[in-house]
Amino acid sequence: MPDLESLPFTIASLHAAYRAGLSPQEIVEEVARRLARVADPGIFISVAAVAVLKAEAAALGAFDPGKALWGVPVAVKDNIDAAGLTTTAACPDYSCTPERDSEAVARLRSAGALIVGKTNLDQFATGLVGVRTPYAVPVNACDPALVPGGSSSGSAVAVARGIVAVALGTDTAGSGRVPAALNNIVGLKPSLGAVSTAGVVPACRTLDCVSVLALTVEDAWATFAVLAEYDAADPFSRRMPAPLFQPRPPAIRVGVPAKAERIFFGDAASAEAYEAALGQLAALGATIVPIPFADFHAVGALLYKGAWVAERYAAIREMMETRPESIHPVTRKIIGGATALSASQAFEGIYRLKALARKIEPVWADIDLLCVPSIPSPCTLADVEADPIGANARLGTYTNFVNLLDLSAVAVPTGARSDGRPSGVTLIGPAGADGRLAGIARDLHLATTGTLGATGWPLELGTAPEGSPAGRIEVAVLGAHLSGMPLNGQLVGLGGVFCRTARTGADYRLFALSGSPAKPGLLRCRRGEGSAVDTEIWSLSADGFGRFVALIPPPLSIGTLELEDGTAVKGFLVEAEAVKGAADISHFGGWRAYLQSRSALPEVALA
């Protein structure tokens, strides 16, 4: 049995521990112990009773690897409803106790998550510093002199401290990315509308996202994949492409601000750390493309002007007009600025945004994604005390424009600065590019040295391209066990390590098997009558490989596959009888490409 005190709270580690016999009730007890050891009253506004959590853990029954978040402790920002836990949005006079979960929390529970409690935030999600709260301010997990970042301050610190594996935040102007950067964790900001905001206290309804904070990109993605589904009850929900994780391509074009337009407010350590991160991307095959950035900054400057300040006012109009004394003074000052605005000024802001967005549009023809500093410089508590609004504004330099331009983003740590403080970058792409960003972010994170959050747990580096460690068995996967797919957790829970992407030889045909849920089948054919198929190569211990094979149902099986480079590995094959009448999808070159060709997310299963 693992030592609970040193057990990393990642999904893979937790699931491996559950397979070894650990119970989720024991994890609940360990969560309580970790929270007590950290002794930071600012992280949570409310916490579920241990007895209640243990009862929910017991109700999960036997370990179910088909549930991506089975037994995983999760924290929820306190502007997102969770049944039975008070929602305050960091304003006690706003408090209510919802009888039902928000759509996002309901989806977490359906995937087996244990909701530990509600985390602190900048009141009404207005702020990037994390100190605009009437409760105790969470202590930055990496450096107590720094602000925790906001508005998802408690969520970020809870993850960075290893109290929970994953936390939900929200992100309108950078509220998930900024605290992630300041606490050395991952912050995934989905495409607008990809995750339902039903049951979320609004800040700017047209821009709000439910975001995910996690120690690793894999965990952030696994949680996002659970959350991402169209919700007809949410008028801002959108039918998005299937949330498919895409491994990093061998060549990528990365747009970066031209050097003359990079803003670090005189922080040489931040500038050096950003250059180092770009070097890491170049080592991964990226071509760095400097682009004009003034228009992006101009878009960001619109966020606290005109229409979007008025939208924040509309979200809490009743409190602003009848109980203004209940609102944090800085928050009240910012949102109160809307009363001096006219309707025509609001429309002028909207028109200005449209014009800037059209000017920026051609940039995407030359690049695959943007890479910017997550923050231009760390912000201290003393900075905020001296200049509450200016310090906050500086943190949003590279985040404010993202939602206004309908972009997706993921903030990822890239190692320590020269002064030991955390540094990181944010990868940004068009709406729907979440999977592409995640694949690149994963590899960029693994290319760094350091620890997960402030836990001291080391990054678990993937196997070098030369092959698997001695005594391990390589297996090729090509369907729902691919990175970011629904059953990838089975592999990682058995200690699987990602090795590389590969292609089969040209003597195979790929079929979409009939029945539900949909799954692929790979059939060997006569030489010259097939085509190459995309796979990922993972390695497992002998024991893990045996357990993995035992999970494979007919008509699938594990056999020996020949790869394009002439080597052979174990991998998925299908019985010939099962492909009779099945659609031949070989021309797509792989299961991911086939799924991407479909307009709706299919229900995918084994292989």
Side-chain angles (χ1 to χ4, degrees):
M1 295 289 287
D3 174 15
L4 281 177
E5 189 171 333
S6 60
L7 176 67
F9 271 15
T10 63
I11 296 173
S13 295
L14 287 164
H15 281 188
Y18 289 142
R19 289 182 189 278
L22 192 71
S23 74
Q25 294 94 318
E26 291 173 287
I27 289 298
V28 168
E29 292 173 350
E30 177 60 18
V31 168
R33 285 191 290 268
R34 292 184 182 194
L35 184 55
R37 283 197 299 269
V38 170
D40 181 353
I43 298 175
F44 285 93
I45 292 176
S46 61
V47 180
V50 170
V52 171
L53 277 175
K54 290 178 78 171
E56 292 176 359
L60 291 174
F63 176 56
D64 182 356
K67 290 189 173 183
L69 302 177
W70 194 96
V72 174
V74 177
V76 175
K77 187 176 180 179
D78 197 27
N79 60 342
I80 304 173
D81 285 348
L85 294 171
T86 302
T87 297
T88 71
C91 179
D93 283 353
Y94 185 84
S95 297
C96 64
T97 303
E99 295 181 358
R100 58 179 295 177
D101 289 327
S102 61
E103 179 63 20
V105 170
R107 293 191 61 76
L108 292 179
R109 291 196 203 270
S110 70
L114 298 169
I115 307 303
V116 170
K118 306 294 290 299
T119 54
N120 207 346
L121 65 151
D122 283 308
Q123 192 178 77
F124 294 115
T126 299
L128 296 174
V129 285
V131 305
R132 297 173 182 170
T133 173
Y135 304 100
V137 173
V139 178
N140 183 291
C142 299
D143 183 343
L146 299 178
V147 297
S151 59
S152 308
S153 53
S155 288
V157 175
V159 169
R161 290 285 193 182
I163 297 167
V164 295
V166 175
L168 294 190
T170 59
D171 192 311
T172 303
S175 288
R177 291 160 280 156
V178 168
L182 283 163
N183 290 278
N184 195 42
I185 62 172
V186 173
L188 188 154
K189 189 218 77 69
S191 299
L192 286 172
V195 177
S196 174
T197 53
V200 178
V201 179
C204 293
R205 292 192 72 191
T206 59
L207 303 179
D208 292 342
C209 293
V210 173
S211 61
V212 181
L213 297 108
L215 292 170
T216 69
V217 175
E218 291 92 336
D219 285 4
W221 181 264
T223 306
F224 169 65
V226 166
L227 298 171
E229 186 166 307
Y230 175 72
D231 179 12
D234 174 13
F236 292 91
S237 182
R238 296 160 71 183
R239 296 188 186 276
M240 301 296 294
L244 300 175
F245 185 97
Q246 299 175 34
R248 173 180 55 87
I252 46 176
R253 300 166 301 164
V254 178
V256 303
K259 284 199 174 182
E261 297 177 79
R262 295 178 189 175
I263 299 173
F264 295 104
F265 299 101
D267 190 332
S270 282
E272 291 167 5
Y274 180 57
E275 285 290 352
L278 296 185
Q280 291 166 340
L281 275 171
L284 292 174
T287 299
I288 305 301
V289 183
I291 61 172
F293 223 75
D295 289 334
F296 288 96
H297 290 312
V299 169
L302 293 174
L303 191 62
Y304 286 97
K305 297 178 181 178
W308 298 280
V309 177
E311 190 172 17
R312 287 184 185 270
Y313 187 92
I316 58 169
R317 176 192 294 272
E318 190 274 333
M319 290 205 71
M320 286 291 293
E321 295 178 354
T322 63
R323 291 174 287 167
E325 70 283 353
S326 298
I327 301 173
H328 190 282
V330 177
T331 305
R332 186 169 67 240
K333 180 179 179 180
I334 293 167
I335 297 178
T339 59
L341 297 170
S342 67
S344 62
Q345 287 174 300
F347 278 105
E348 285 167 4
I350 293 170
Y351 301 155
R352 173 69 171 151
L353 173 60
K354 287 291 187 183
L356 286 167
R358 184 56 55 88
K359 281 185 67 179
I360 289 169
E361 217 170 70
V363 167
W364 294 102
D366 299 321
I367 60 174
D368 299 305
L369 69 150
L370 287 170
C371 175
V372 299
S374 293
I375 56 173
S377 178
C379 176
T380 67
L381 293 167
D383 293 334
V384 176
E385 186 175 355
D387 182 9
I389 293 178
N392 186 93
R394 290 192 290 276
L395 286 175
T397 301
Y398 294 103
T399 61
N400 286 347
F401 63 83
V402 173
N403 288 14
L404 285 166
L405 290 173
D406 192 14
L407 304 174
S408 53
V410 58
V412 61
T414 53
R417 294 161 27 119
S418 58
D419 59 6
R421 286 174 168 169
S423 68
V425 297
T426 297
L427 307 183
I428 302 169
D434 309 85
R436 182 199 317 164
L437 298 179
I440 298 165
R442 177 191 67 179
D443 289 1
L444 178 59
H445 193 197
L446 292 177
T448 68
T449 58
T451 61
L452 297 172
T455 64
W457 302 327
L459 283 167
E460 295 178 3
L461 300 182
T463 307
E466 291 78 37
S468 296
R472 293 177 68 87
I473 299 169
E474 288 193 339
V475 59
V477 299
L478 53 95
H481 286 99
L482 293 165
S483 298
M485 292 281 192
L487 295 182
N488 184 250
Q490 290 184 348
L491 267 175
V492 296
L494 290 168
V497 174
F498 173 78
C499 299
R500 62 193 182 278
T501 57
R503 287 168 63 80
T504 69
D507 301 328
Y508 295 91
R509 293 168 64 193
L510 187 67
F511 295 86
L513 303 181
S514 59
S516 180
K519 51 185 174 288
L522 186 72
L523 185 70
R524 186 158 191 163
C525 60
R526 292 181 181 176
R527 190 168 297 277
E529 295 183 0
S531 58
V533 175
D534 292 333
T535 71
E536 287 181 0
I537 310 301
W538 288 68
S539 72
L540 289 159
S541 67
D543 178 69
F545 178 76
R547 290 173 181 268
F548 184 64
V549 171
L551 295 173
I552 310 305
L556 303 174
S557 63
I558 297 292
T560 300
L561 305 186
E562 289 187 8
L563 301 181
E564 199 171 43
D565 63 5
T567 61
V569 296
K570 299 301 179 184
F572 280 89
L573 290 169
V574 67
E575 298 170 8
E577 187 68 21
V579 304
K580 292 180 178 178
D584 188 332
I585 58 171
S586 306
H587 58 287
F588 287 102
W591 186 241
R592 288 187 196 277
Y594 168 68
L595 293 183
Q596 288 168 339
S597 74
R598 304 176 64 176
S599 58
L601 174 63
E603 190 182 4
V604 291
L606 277 167

